[in-house]
Amino acid sequence: MTLQHDLPGLLDELAADHHVGHAPPLDARTLPVELEPRRRPSAPRLLAAAACAALAVGGLVFVGSRDDPDPTTGNAPATDPSDVAGEEAVPYGPLDYATTEQELPMWPEANVSDPPATTSAYGMDLCDSGYGTKILRVDPTSGPSHAYSGTLCVFIDLAEPRVDAVTSCATSTEGFNYARCQRRTDNTDTAGAGSSRQAIADADDIATMRSFPSATAWDQAELFDADVAATSTQPSPEAFSDGAVTVALDAATGDGVAATVEQPGVCFQIQLPGATATGCVGRALLATGLAYGAFQDGDGPIELVGIVPDEVTAIDVDGTTITPTNNVWHYTAESDRPLTITVGSADGRTASTA
Amino acid sequence: MPDDAPVTERFPDPGSFVDFYQHQYEATVRLAGFLSGTRDIAEDLAQEAFLRLEPRFADVENPAAYLRSTVVNLCRNQHRSASRDARRLIKLGPPPSGVSDRAAELDATLRRLPYDERAVVVLRYWLGLTEAEIATHLGCRPGTVKSRSARALNKIRQELP
């Protein structure tokens, strides 16, 4: 008898020992049920199409014009839940969540709060490994937007909080693509709950998302050993600084992290113009050599920051060759030209974004 | 419904939400019990999962899969919260009663596994999901599911008599 053969029976034995009563009645104390008949997923929504099309403009990310204060027009998603027919706002807070789970790719939004609140931070949660490029942005009612794209699972604290902003997130490829978009309206929960809702991208949207130049395929080959020597530079964990960005790396250890990051993993803190990005990356994505993030504050340049394992010795971005320093590389993209990232090892192994 | 029913029977195609809720409740609570490692909060987690599904029930392509993913994520959050607060509910939950020594040992071993490894074992060997389906639920690649499964099985082998 093999363990695999025994496991179903043992698990059934444990499940049978878990005595579960009858399902409680559906009433106001449990679920606000409306006996709506099932229907097929709703038709593609114009909102998603507009948002996705506006996002992909040649380069990695597109940020709304700072001259467009109305988030219901132009490239920004609508702020009023009633603007999206059939969508039902779900209250959360102070962290507002929207997910891309199941029906993918999706374009979820963490909506504005009621009453209006300051969006102080946003990011992606539960998006370990490199399954396509994640795209987030914060569109405030006034002031510059902030956008992020990349494969790193990040949480971004903004240097200048954005008032009553709409946060959107999406993923750029089909398949095993998953992320949860979140927004922190404030740190005290005094602003009350916000809400989130989802819109499903249609075929055109998906094609637009696919056009993002730097998507890392969900089945990207894991070519390299995932060891990152810079995580052993304690007690001074600063791995990289070039005046524009500063990156600190640390091993993804400890109770709160180790169980949630495939080992060996790395946690990072990236200081960049307008924001601080933190997160952790697991073995699988590190092994692709294509763990990176692209940050843009307002209409400034796109700052590309990558974390590579020891075996990666060179990175090519847009024809420029970069040598990593302590497992980190940085490139400032001044143009909207599509960018391709290629990483290589000394023995000739290379990997590129799509 | 027998406990050894295949996953398609544990999570049958739904009709109305009420039917779906009543049919799925028991299996969902048990899944939450496995994944969270504590039966005390399994019903709360299952209720929360149904609560999140209900507004989307008419729209989602596969409510059962959506429900499973929601349970997986809620239990992961519970695991993280418990870790952060050092309450370690996962390791302090009451052991099962009335099961064989081998099943009890498996229960204890599952509680010690990292969350994603535990989830892979439960989704694969209790629900009978494929590696691709598990990858979707956990947000990782099938190859990662395979490696997590191998690591989990190695640990279980070391603990089970």
Side-chain angles (χ1 to χ4, degrees), chain A:
Chain A
M1 287 289 195
T2 65
L3 177 61
Q4 290 95 320
H5 183 271
D6 289 348
L7 277 175
L10 292 170
L11 290 165
D12 277 337
E13 187 179 344
L14 288 169
D17 183 65
H18 184 176
H19 302 291
V20 179
H22 294 295
L26 292 168
D27 58 24
R29 287 172 291 117
T30 52
L31 297 170
V33 174
E34 294 177 9
L35 300 181
E36 185 177 9
R38 275 180 54 72
R39 61 177 186 266
R40 297 290 300 167
S42 54
R45 291 167 171 94
L46 184 60
L47 174 66
C52 296
L55 198 67
V57 182
L60 273 174
V61 290
F62 177 83
V63 177
S65 165
R66 58 176 78 209
D67 297 327
D68 181 6
D70 182 356
T72 64
T73 62
N75 55 65
T79 58
D80 182 352
S82 64
D83 288 348
V84 185
E87 292 293 338
E88 183 168 348
V90 179
Y92 301 102
L95 284 173
D96 297 340
Y97 294 103
T99 73
T100 57
E101 61 196 349
Q102 292 304 307
E103 296 177 354
L104 300 173
M106 300 182 78
W107 189 266
E109 305 157 24
N111 200 11
V112 293
S113 295
D114 182 19
T118 294
T119 293
S120 60
Y122 69 105
M124 285 281 191
D125 190 20
L126 306 179
C127 58
D128 56 328
S129 300
Y131 315 111
T133 304
K134 289 85 176 176
I135 307 143
L136 302 94
R137 62 179 186 173
V138 168
D139 292 300
T141 54
S142 62
S145 299
H146 198 272
Y148 166 77
S149 173
T151 57
L152 291 173
C153 197
V154 297
F155 195 81
I156 300 168
D157 284 291
L158 297 168
E160 296 180 29
R162 313 298 198 240
V163 177
D164 204 15
V166 175
T167 301
S168 305
C169 68
T171 50
S172 61
T173 56
E174 285 184 289
F176 302 99
N177 218 345
Y178 180 92
R180 187 170 68 172
C181 176
Q182 60 186 22
R183 172 179 77 132
R184 185 167 62 218
T185 53
D186 61 27
N187 291 315
T188 60
D189 203 14
T190 56
S195 60
S196 66
R197 61 175 185 264
Q198 298 182 344
I200 302 169
D202 67 6
D204 289 341
D205 303 329
I206 293 169
T208 301
M209 288 180 176
R210 284 196 186 115
S211 73
F212 274 73
S214 295
T216 301
W218 67 270
D219 56 352
Q220 187 82 37
E222 297 171 10
L223 285 180
F224 310 103
D225 289 337
D227 293 338
V228 175
T231 58
S232 61
T233 57
Q234 300 284 4
S236 177
E238 183 175 298
F240 180 93
S241 182
D242 64 0
V245 302
T246 299
V247 182
L249 301 180
D250 204 353
T253 55
D255 277 353
V257 170
T260 58
V261 176
E262 190 178 5
Q263 298 293 325
V266 173
C267 290
F268 57 86
Q269 182 183 73
I270 304 171
Q271 301 275 357
L272 60 151
T276 300
T278 55
C280 299
V281 54
R283 184 205 64 80
L285 180 55
L286 285 169
T288 69
L290 295 169
Y292 75 96
F295 306 86
Q296 188 173 36
D297 188 35
D299 54 3
I302 296 171
E303 306 289 354
L304 279 163
V305 178
I307 300 169
V308 291
D310 299 344
E311 288 193 331
V312 171
T313 54
I315 300 96
D316 184 283
V317 184
D318 202 23
T320 300
T321 300
I322 305 162
T323 301
T325 301
N326 292 332
N327 303 96
V328 175
W329 60 269
H330 169 227
Y331 179 82
T332 301
E334 299 284 357
S335 75
D336 288 339
R337 260 199 326 273
L339 300 174
T340 297
I341 302 169
T342 301
V343 298
S345 62
D347 61 4
R349 286 171 289 162
T350 62
S352 296
T353 53

